[in-house]
Amino acid sequence: MNIVVVGAGAWGTAIAISAASHAAAHRVQLWGRDERQIAAMRQARENARYLAGVAFPPSLEVVGASIEEHLAGADLVFLATPTAALRGLLGVLRHFQGPVAWLCKGFEAQTGQLAHEVCAQVAPKLQAGALSGPSFALEVARMQPTALVAASAHASVREALVQALHGRHLRVYVNDDLVGVEVGGAVKNVLAIATGLCDGLRLGLNARAALITRGLAEMSRLGVALGACTETFMGLSGLGDLVLTATGDLSRNRTVGLQLARGLPLARVLSDLGHVAEGVHSAHTVAARARQLGVEMPIVEAVVALLDGTTRPEQAVAQLMERDPKGE
């Protein structure tokens, strides 16, 4: 396959490395917009900024300039940019004939839309879907065992993702519930901030387990209200991704919660992080979408208040614990 990965951050680079290392000997182009970074990656044959020490396979080519010139002959395109950049890229790809998969996990801040809703507006004829699931970019790049979900309403997209990535180190499961997979990927980032806060305040493992479990219930309620299947949230893109992001030390969103628990201001936390933490951007849109649908999401609301600075970490926890008793 000829594969183009748009976006040379940690995730885009990891997927490019994985695809280029596949037994099928795919030809992979990793596109980046920063010419200085592209030059550095070409010379070092690694992405020192995001995945230092992980060498590029020989079949991985680093490219720049206009995206359009690299699309000719592509069998599959991965969009590995933050959610905020997705709309513009889909506009560029709106006439592309092959399968496209986005790796971002979140709601668009301006509209509150999920990626598939943005695609329906901008590129309604595009054969597209999402690649999601419990995965840290560094571990994927290092070829550590990982399981992902290829989600799309189009069988051709699901099959292309399996063909591109499924192998010894990476298992790719298929799912036609794109809504559920996207909701799981977006909401777990917000919930990971809450569990990071819990761990940073040293509230204990009981509290962490309660947050993850009740967070999963909130995620499921929102997903079902948006048309998802309940079963999806018990799979890799729901429970699996939530557990990883809420407990893993490589989680950017959990790190945000940990640092906020220390009393650091959000701007300082994000500056020190140096990477995009999608949960920070998604929290308000998740809460707004839930309110529109009449879905109760108290943990998400607590995270929003914390990010806005209208409540302190200890107050956020107290407000959750003081809620009236109810059935599970």
Side-chain angles (χ1 to χ4, degrees), residues 95 103 116:
H95 299 305
L103 308 181
H116 77 275

Side-chain angles (χ1 to χ4, degrees), residues 137-155:
L138 182 60
E139 294 189 2
V140 171
R142 288 175 173 171
M143 304 298 165
Q144 293 177 259
T146 303
L148 298 176
V149 179
S152 176
H154 307 284

Side-chain angles (χ1 to χ4, degrees), residues 280-314:
V280 175
H281 303 288
S282 294
H284 291 84
T285 48
V286 170
R289 198 81 187 257
R291 292 185 207 116
Q292 291 170 1
L293 295 167
V295 175
E296 191 177 28
M297 300 188 75
I299 298 174
V300 170
E301 293 284 3
V303 171
V304 169
L306 183 66
L307 295 175
D308 285 346
T310 59
T311 187
R312 297 193 304 274
E314 298 83 356

Side-chain angles (χ1 to χ4, degrees), residues 16-286:
I17 290 172
S18 183
S21 303
H22 197 275
H26 303 307
R27 176 176 178 264
V28 181
Q29 293 181 310
L30 175 62
W31 181 90
R33 61 181 175 84
D34 186 332
E35 291 293 339
R36 186 175 299 177
Q37 184 193 12
I38 291 169
M41 288 191 292
R42 282 175 177 161
Q43 181 176 1
R45 296 300 296 169
E46 71 171 56
N47 189 336
R49 180 177 179 183
Y50 292 107
L51 295 173
V54 183
F56 289 170
S59 60
L60 176 56
E61 179 185 3
V62 181
V63 299
S66 66
I67 297 173
E68 291 90 337
E69 69 180 75
H70 302 293
L71 296 179
D75 300 306
L76 172 64
V77 175
F78 286 100
L79 301 181
T81 61
T83 304
L86 185 62
R87 183 177 291 271
L89 285 173
L90 289 172
V92 173
L93 289 163
R94 65 187 181 279
H95 299 305
F96 182 66
Q97 297 298 309
V100 174
W102 43 78
L103 308 181
C104 54
K105 300 174 179 179
F107 288 77
E108 188 178 51
Q110 298 89 337
T111 65
Q113 292 178 330
L114 288 163
H116 77 275
E117 295 172 311
V118 175
C119 186
Q121 279 190 347
V122 178
K125 296 181 180 180
L126 200 64
Q127 303 285 297
L131 183 70
S132 192
S135 49
F136 288 135
L138 182 60
E139 294 189 2
V140 171
R142 288 175 173 171
M143 304 298 165
Q144 293 177 259
T146 303
L148 298 176
V149 179
S152 176
H154 307 284
S156 60
V157 176
R158 301 193 298 267
E159 292 165 3
L161 293 174
V162 171
Q163 184 181 349
L165 297 171
H166 188 86
R168 291 181 55 200
H169 306 290
L170 187 60
R171 288 190 62 82
V172 180
Y173 292 82
V174 297
N175 194 329
D176 61 2
D177 181 16
L178 181 55
V179 176
V181 169
E182 286 189 338
V183 170
V187 177
K188 61 92 183 179
N189 286 326
V190 184
L191 299 173
I193 296 174
T195 52
L197 175 69
C198 172
D199 290 344
L201 292 174
R202 300 183 182 277
L203 300 181
L205 299 179
N206 292 350
R208 181 204 281 178
L211 268 177
I212 291 174
T213 306
R214 295 311 304 162
L216 180 63
E218 291 190 17
M219 176 194 295
S220 301
R221 286 199 296 267
L222 178 61
V224 170
L226 288 168
C229 300
T230 306
E231 294 80 6
T232 299
F233 300 103
M234 298 309 296
L236 290 167
S237 59
L239 177 61
D241 211 355
L242 174 58
V243 169
L244 178 76
T245 311
T247 64
D249 291 336
L250 293 175
S251 168
R252 303 170 189 174
N253 294 283
R254 179 174 180 270
T255 298
V256 170
L258 287 169
Q259 297 297 81
L260 290 175
R262 292 178 53 196
L264 295 178
L266 180 60
R268 164 76 182 280
V269 172
L270 297 180
S271 175
D272 291 347
L273 191 64
H275 296 261
V276 174
E278 287 279 17
V280 175
H281 303 288
S282 294
H284 291 84
T285 48
V286 170

